[in-house]
Amino acid sequence: MSNQQFEQDLRNKIDQLDKNMQPQRDLWTGIEVALSEQHTTKKKPYLAIAASVMVVGLVGWLGLKSDIVADNSPQLVQTLTQQHQQQMQGLLVTYADAPALTNDWQQQLDELDRAADAIKQALAKDPNNPALLKMLQQVYQQQIDLVEKVHAPGWQRI
Amino acid sequence: MTLATNVIEAEAKFDQETRLINAARGGDKQAFQTLYQKYIGMVYSLCFRLMGDGPLAEDASQEVFIQLWKKLENYRGDSKFSTWLHSVTANIAISYLRKQRGWLQRMFHIEDTDAINTEAEGSAGDVDLDEYVKRLPERARIVFVLHAIEGYRHEEIASMTNMAVGSSKAQYHRAKQLLKEWMGYE
């Protein structure tokens, strides 16, 4: 069959696409909650923020000092991991009484855990790689973001 | 219906929408909800096709309206509200997709391989285009949706997605080739 036929067929199918699809669940309720949340003071654990800033700063500085990473990578990974665990514990305690707004957040947390483990294994084999250290920090940050999002509906997940 | 009646009706609708936008800007949630009801179909359809995933598109649609609440003051009325909202939606959806997709995929620029393994199903006549668009690799899907379905130029897509214009064209070509194959034209 010719290219012309394909183009015509594709054009017809594009023209027939539904441009007014409706979501399966009610989205307005969540939006309304989020808009109300924007007016209230966002309760954020100051300790977690401080720890986060410290970890980001540490990794950022070390990104510029690859020789230091090479010499100290195992200790840095350990420090990063310890700080992250403390930060996560603090967050989970803070949000212990807050309802989680999605069902699969713990599964997502586990997936990120596995990702972090994979990076740590890669770092054990390649300690001279500051990019891996940054990736580890990013995965940890994603875990923090995830916990905050599912417990504080002011942002993406409602 | 006469031309004059059409013009009067169009003006009335325009005025009503302008009133809603102004009221929402002033903090009127009911007005904002009316805008939501009017445009959720457009926003969700675009998110659905860009994401290729219903639940993710629902989350992104919520994000669009949450951000829209703040962004409304940026709307100056230079273009139709629907055109402006369409562009806002595309940008937020792409940004949302970047945040949500697997970090490994992003870090190592791994394309999802589902599309490559997809075999053609059925004949060209009974193809559900949305099903095939959903299976396109992510970057090819975004470019195809924005260019072929939504009518954006490659220059605009390049700016939205931070890719080169040439890459946008290449991804579009790739999407077309895959669709051609799946639709039984190759």
Side-chain angles (χ1 to χ4, degrees), chain A residues 67-132:
Chain A
D67 51 334
I68 297 178
V69 174
D71 294 340
N72 300 293
S73 179
Q75 289 86 349
L76 286 172
V77 171
Q78 199 181 359
T79 307
L80 254 181
T81 304
Q82 278 175 355
Q83 286 187 352
H84 172 67
Q85 283 169 349
Q86 286 168 3
Q87 197 175 352
M88 284 293 285
Q89 271 181 350
L91 274 178
L92 292 171
V93 168
T94 304
Y95 292 125
D97 297 327
L101 294 154
T102 57
N103 297 324
D104 65 341
W105 69 279
Q106 280 167 323
Q107 189 189 334
Q108 291 180 49
L109 213 55
D110 289 344
E111 282 171 12
L112 288 167
D113 263 340
R114 286 196 289 278
D117 287 343
I119 296 172
K120 280 191 269 187
Q121 282 176 16
L123 267 168
K125 289 178 189 165
D126 184 12
N128 297 339
N129 192 339
L132 284 172

Side-chain angles (χ1 to χ4, degrees), chain A residues 3 18 21 24-25 115 138, chain B residues 45 49 58-59 107 180:
Chain A
N3 192 50
D18 182 2
M21 296 164 72
Q24 290 189 347
R25 64 186 169 95
Q138 281 171 334
Chain B
S45 302
R49 293 194 174 103
E58 289 174 345
D59 289 346
M107 292 290 180
K180 195 173 180 182

Side-chain angles (χ1 to χ4, degrees), chain B residues 107-128:
Chain B
M107 292 290 180
F108 299 107
H109 304 289
I110 301 169
E111 285 276 12
D112 47 350
T113 52
D114 292 354
I116 292 156
N117 297 325
T118 303
E119 291 179 8
E121 290 170 7
S123 62
D126 57 18
V127 168
D128 178 350

